[in-house]
Amino acid sequence: MDRSWIRCRLFSKPYLDGINDFIKFVSERFGENEQILCPCRRCLNQIYGHKRVVEDHLYIHGISSTYDRWIYHGEPLDAGMNENAEQLDEHVGLNEDVHLNEDEEDPEDTFPDMVQELYTAEDQNEQNGEKSLFAAILEQMKQELYPGCASFSKFSFVVKLLHIKSFYRISNVAFTAMLKLLSAAFPNCSLPSSYHEAKKYIRALGLGYDSIHVCPNNCVLFRKEYEKDDECPVCGESRWKDKDGRKKIPQKVLRHFNPCR
């Protein structure tokens, strides 16, 4: 059985399909309430947990990159040895490709970190009787951007587009025009039709952000006791681009993502 997916990018289609295969494999060999060893990159088959917890760990932390024979989960020691030997060169080539892809990943892409924060907040949400955001996000991650797309889900693509918009300060009108062009060029893609629709889609999953005005010199945040101030109480710099503050356009804005909202 090809298990090269264990070295694929987290939340890519091959990786999600591989996790489903692993959970199915385990379910055929262990009882529903029976605890199993967790093969994620943190637990490394040293800590037991229920299947649901193990599955969450595999989504968040990734499966151990060397655990391609599931001997701790019912697979015989000698299973697949000949197959592995014959495909050794192929696997070496695959590893080289994976390392190259990892080097090319955007260092500013904090998408896995955002999902990690959601998972950390999961227990608190459950204690408060709130709907699980992590479960909702996970379902969205499984929806393909278009049939057969392995690189992006609709959710990850929209998040990435919004990140680019914010990072390069693209206007709302320009962003909407880009979405319309992408939708026209790629009709099979499931894309929002405007910036407001994209923002609404993200907020519906509890992933909105709070905009907080910041002193241009990073002295203070204009919130709480400084919320109504027009000037920085430390350096005296104006909060607004126009000195009289009539247009109320802030010089600097912090966009704060709160996973526990």
Side-chain angles (χ1 to χ4, degrees):
M1 180 184 296
D2 180 18
R3 290 175 183 163
S4 58
W5 59 267
I6 67 175
R7 301 175 184 86
C8 292
R9 181 174 56 84
L10 295 184
F11 303 114
S12 64
K13 188 176 186 302
Y15 186 81
L16 292 176
D17 290 343
I19 294 300
N20 289 334
D21 289 342
F22 175 79
I23 295 301
K24 181 179 178 181
F25 180 89
V26 168
S27 298
E28 293 172 351
R29 290 161 177 79
F30 293 87
E32 184 65 27
N33 297 320
E34 191 173 355
Q35 292 194 345
I36 61 174
L37 285 168
C38 178
C40 81
R41 294 174 185 173
R42 291 193 178 183
C43 299
L44 296 173
N45 284 313
Q46 297 180 19
I47 300 176
Y48 283 89
H50 291 289
K51 278 190 296 182
R52 186 183 71 83
V53 175
V54 170
E55 184 177 8
D56 288 349
H57 278 208
L58 295 178
Y59 283 128
I60 298 302
H61 308 307
I63 192 170
S64 170
S65 61
T66 60
Y67 193 52
D68 53 6
R69 289 167 57 204
W70 300 337
I71 58 175
Y72 297 110
H73 298 88
E75 186 171 24
L77 267 173
D78 58 349
M81 290 185 66
N82 293 334
E83 178 183 354
N84 290 340
E86 292 173 359
Q87 297 181 352
L88 180 60
D89 292 338
E90 178 184 348
H91 286 175
V92 171
L94 174 64
N95 289 340
E96 291 173 353
D97 291 342
V98 169
H99 291 311
L100 287 173
N101 291 336
E102 289 176 352
D103 292 339
E104 293 171 359
E105 286 182 355
D106 183 2
E108 297 293 332
D109 187 1
T110 58
F111 182 65
D113 295 332
M114 180 182 68
V115 178
Q116 170 70 59
E117 290 179 357
L118 281 171
Y119 181 71
T120 302
E122 180 78 353
D123 289 340
Q124 180 176 343
N125 288 338
E126 289 182 352
Q127 291 174 5
N128 295 336
E130 298 175 6
K131 183 179 179 180
S132 167
L133 291 180
F134 178 75
I137 298 298
L138 201 56
E139 286 303 313
Q140 291 295 322
M141 288 176 179
K142 295 177 181 179
Q143 293 187 13
E144 296 178 340
L145 178 61
Y146 58 84
C149 179
S151 300
F152 292 99
S153 65
K154 175 185 176 180
F155 176 76
S156 64
F157 191 72
V158 171
V159 169
K160 189 66 176 177
L161 284 176
L162 288 171
H163 170 73
I164 293 173
K165 177 194 181 302
S166 176
F167 188 81
Y168 293 104
R169 300 181 181 180
I170 300 172
S171 70
N172 296 353
V173 175
F175 188 77
T176 296
M178 290 170 54
L179 286 174
K180 289 182 177 179
L181 178 62
L182 286 171
S183 297
F186 306 102
N188 292 329
C189 288
S190 178
L191 291 174
S193 60
S194 66
Y195 166 68
H196 293 293
E197 187 177 322
K199 194 174 178 181
K200 182 179 178 181
Y201 170 71
I202 295 299
R203 285 191 179 278
L205 297 171
L207 294 180
Y209 57 79
D210 299 319
S211 296
I212 305 172
H213 297 178
V214 186
C215 166
N217 298 317
N218 299 321
C219 299
V220 299
L221 300 176
F222 289 103
R223 60 193 294 266
K224 295 184 177 180
E225 66 268 28
Y226 305 130
E227 186 174 1
K228 297 183 179 180
D229 290 1
D230 293 323
E231 296 179 349
C232 173
V234 178
C235 68
E237 185 72 22
S238 175
R239 174 180 182 173
W240 315 107
K241 289 184 178 180
D242 53 320
K243 299 303 179 182
D244 56 11
R246 291 182 180 179
K247 295 183 179 180
K248 300 294 183 182
I249 302 176
Q251 294 203 57
K252 183 178 288 189
V253 178
L254 168 70
R255 292 174 175 83
H256 174 247
F257 165 71
N258 182 4
C260 301
R261 63 172 62 239

